[in-house]
């Protein structure tokens, strides 16, 4: 019990995060039947330093060329942009429990994080007001259904671009590069995404690329799937699982929340986050790409670098800048 208490102490504890989210639950508009999602930080490796290990199995079956390539940017309007303007609000699917990405700031109760800053930039460009946003908390496995069913206009929630998802939704150009990595308690015999996972209970979020990787190559692990990424950290703290596989960018925030866990091994994939949108909204895709073009501009003083320095720099150091955009038309 003393060990559990130590893990749950302090601002970083998940219990503190959960309490903050509960206080402000009335402000965030959750989707129907969708629960809100999700060593020391210096140990996190920059996303570019991917280990020389076999690619995650799903990348081997990707057949589309350059999945990160998107429609060229445009500031023009279209039917989707006009609909959003008429509604007066941008409806964004986000996380509210992933520290540094999308979370309830315990100081003022507002949504904060790198993804939230990007949502505000999109709203300001389309509607002239960064606060003209309806935020809807969605778990990992609801990101695509929420777009397909028209419950949100955009999903900005550490969502990896890949060929399979491109069959169901559209993506902007990449706005961040990450990689899958293993999170485990300090002192654990787990050394990374390798044979040390044998007979260990390894947690992933349902619908995530981590779940896909573990299903294809489990190394003898016992997979445990949960709706939200933060559930994995809670289960790890309670001793119900032995490790977590997730994006290292997310895991860095979790390690900052709980100093008794650390990232082990090296990132074993390269993944690019994009803003997801409905496939039938090319005008919105082009407009978001224009926002991202402006967001990246300015080198070290760009809005992207300012958001990185504020939200991610302390937990994920060493990132030199955003990934370069790719276009397909």
């Amino acid at each position: 019990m003393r060990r559990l208490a130590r893990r749950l102490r302090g601002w970083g504890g998940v219990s503190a995060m959960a309490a903050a989210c509960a206080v402000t639950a009335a402000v965030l508009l959750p989707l129907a039947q969708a629960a809100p999602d999700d060593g020391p930080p210096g140990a996190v490796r920059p996303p570019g330093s991917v280990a020389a290990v076999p690619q995650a199995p799903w990348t081997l079956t990707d057949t589309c060329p350059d999945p990160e390539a998107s429609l060229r940017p445009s500031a023009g309007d279209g039917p989707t942009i006009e609909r959003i303007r008429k509604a007066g609000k941008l409806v964004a699917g986000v996380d509210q429990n992933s520290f540094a990405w999308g979370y309830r700031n315990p100081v003022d109760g507002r949504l904060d994080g790198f993804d939230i800053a990007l949502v505000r930039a999109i709203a300001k460009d389309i509607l002239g007001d960064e606060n003209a946003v309806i935020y809807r908390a969605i778990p990992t496995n609801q990101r695509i259904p929420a777009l397909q069913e028209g419950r949100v206009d955009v999903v900005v929630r550490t969502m990896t671009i890949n060929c399979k998802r491109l069959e169901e939704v559209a993506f902007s150009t990449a706005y961040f590069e990450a990689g899958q990595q293993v999170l485990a308690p300090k002192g654990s015999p787990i050394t990374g995404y390798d044979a040390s996972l044998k007979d260990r209970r390894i947690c992933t979020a349902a619908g995530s690329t981590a779940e896909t990787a573990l299903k294809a190559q489990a190394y003898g692990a016992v997979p445990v799937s949960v709706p939200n990424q933060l559930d994995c950290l809670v289960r790890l703290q309670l001793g119900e699982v032995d490790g977590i596989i997730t994006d290292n960018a997310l895991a860095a925030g979790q390690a900052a929340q709980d100093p008794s866990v650390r990232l082990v091994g090296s990132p074993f994939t390269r993944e690019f986050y994009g803003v997801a949108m409905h496939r039938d909204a090319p005008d919105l895709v082009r407009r978001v790409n224009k926002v991202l073009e402006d967001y990246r501009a300015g080198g070290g003083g760009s809005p992207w670098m300012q958001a990185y320095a504020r939200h991610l720099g302390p937990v994920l150091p060493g990132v030199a800048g955003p990934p370069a955009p790719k276009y397909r038309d």
Side-chain angles (χ1 to χ4, degrees):
M1 291 298 292
R2 285 195 297 271
R3 181 183 179 191
L4 177 59
R6 283 197 302 272
R7 284 189 175 182
L8 296 179
R9 265 205 307 264
W11 138 234
V14 170
S15 55
M17 183 70 78
C21 293
V23 169
T24 54
V27 179
L28 197 71
L29 300 181
L31 291 176
Q33 301 178 343
D37 220 51
D38 66 40
V44 180
R45 305 189 185 195
S49 56
V50 179
V53 297
Q55 286 184 300
W58 73 85
T59 63
L60 299 179
T61 59
D62 276 355
T63 57
C64 61
D66 290 330
E68 294 85 29
S70 184
L71 300 177
R72 290 197 176 274
S74 171
D77 293 340
T80 310
I81 299 294
E82 290 174 2
R83 177 182 57 75
I84 293 170
R85 284 215 179 109
K86 184 176 180 180
K89 297 284 186 179
L90 176 73
V91 184
V94 299
D95 197 349
Q96 67 168 359
N97 290 326
S98 286
F99 180 62
W101 289 95
Y103 71 105
R104 284 287 177 183
N105 191 320
V107 175
D108 58 15
R110 294 187 66 202
L111 275 171
D112 207 355
F114 190 82
D115 280 346
I116 304 303
L118 179 53
V119 170
R120 289 174 179 150
I122 296 170
K124 183 173 179 60
D125 182 84
I126 295 175
L127 296 165
D129 180 1
E130 68 173 18
N131 296 313
V133 183
I134 295 174
Y135 294 101
R136 288 186 171 163
I138 51 176
T140 304
N141 63 358
Q142 283 292 303
R143 293 177 297 190
I144 290 175
L147 285 166
Q148 291 177 327
E149 296 165 12
R151 292 179 280 168
V152 297
D153 299 315
V154 296
V155 168
V156 187
R157 195 188 175 287
T158 59
M159 189 168 179
T160 299
I161 305 167
N162 62 36
C163 293
K164 181 178 178 181
R165 289 173 176 168
L166 281 168
E167 295 175 358
E168 301 179 288
V169 297
F171 280 99
S172 69
T173 54
Y175 67 85
F176 199 87
E177 181 182 344
Q180 294 293 316
Q181 200 166 349
V182 179
L183 189 72
K186 291 179 179 177
S188 167
I190 295 174
T191 58
Y193 186 63
D194 53 33
S196 66
L197 299 181
K198 184 176 174 58
D199 299 325
R200 306 291 175 184
R201 299 160 297 176
I202 303 300
C203 189
T204 61
S208 67
T209 49
E211 182 186 49
T212 303
L214 193 62
K215 283 180 178 178
Q217 175 59 278
Y219 288 107
V222 179
V224 177
S225 180
V226 297
N228 303 306
Q229 188 56 51
L230 191 67
D231 296 339
C232 281
L233 184 57
V234 173
R235 291 199 178 204
L236 188 65
Q237 290 175 320
L238 295 174
E240 296 176 357
V241 298
D242 302 302
I244 301 168
I245 296 178
T246 187
D247 301 355
N248 65 345
L250 283 172
Q254 293 182 349
Q257 289 176 261
D258 185 349
S260 71
V261 300
R262 65 189 180 97
L263 284 159
V264 294
S266 299
F268 57 91
T269 65
R270 293 183 71 185
E271 301 188 22
F272 296 88
Y273 298 158
V275 178
M277 291 155 279
H278 198 282
R279 281 176 59 88
D280 296 332
D283 59 320
L284 181 58
V285 175
R286 292 183 188 276
R287 188 59 171 265
V288 170
N289 282 340
K290 180 64 171 67
V291 173
L292 285 171
E293 188 178 65
D294 297 338
Y295 206 63
R296 299 183 191 99
S302 68
W304 192 99
M305 287 302 300
Q306 292 176 32
Y308 166 77
R310 177 184 174 191
H311 300 292
L312 298 178
V315 298
L316 191 66
V319 178
K326 295 181 180 181
Y327 299 111
R328 59 179 169 84
D329 69 336

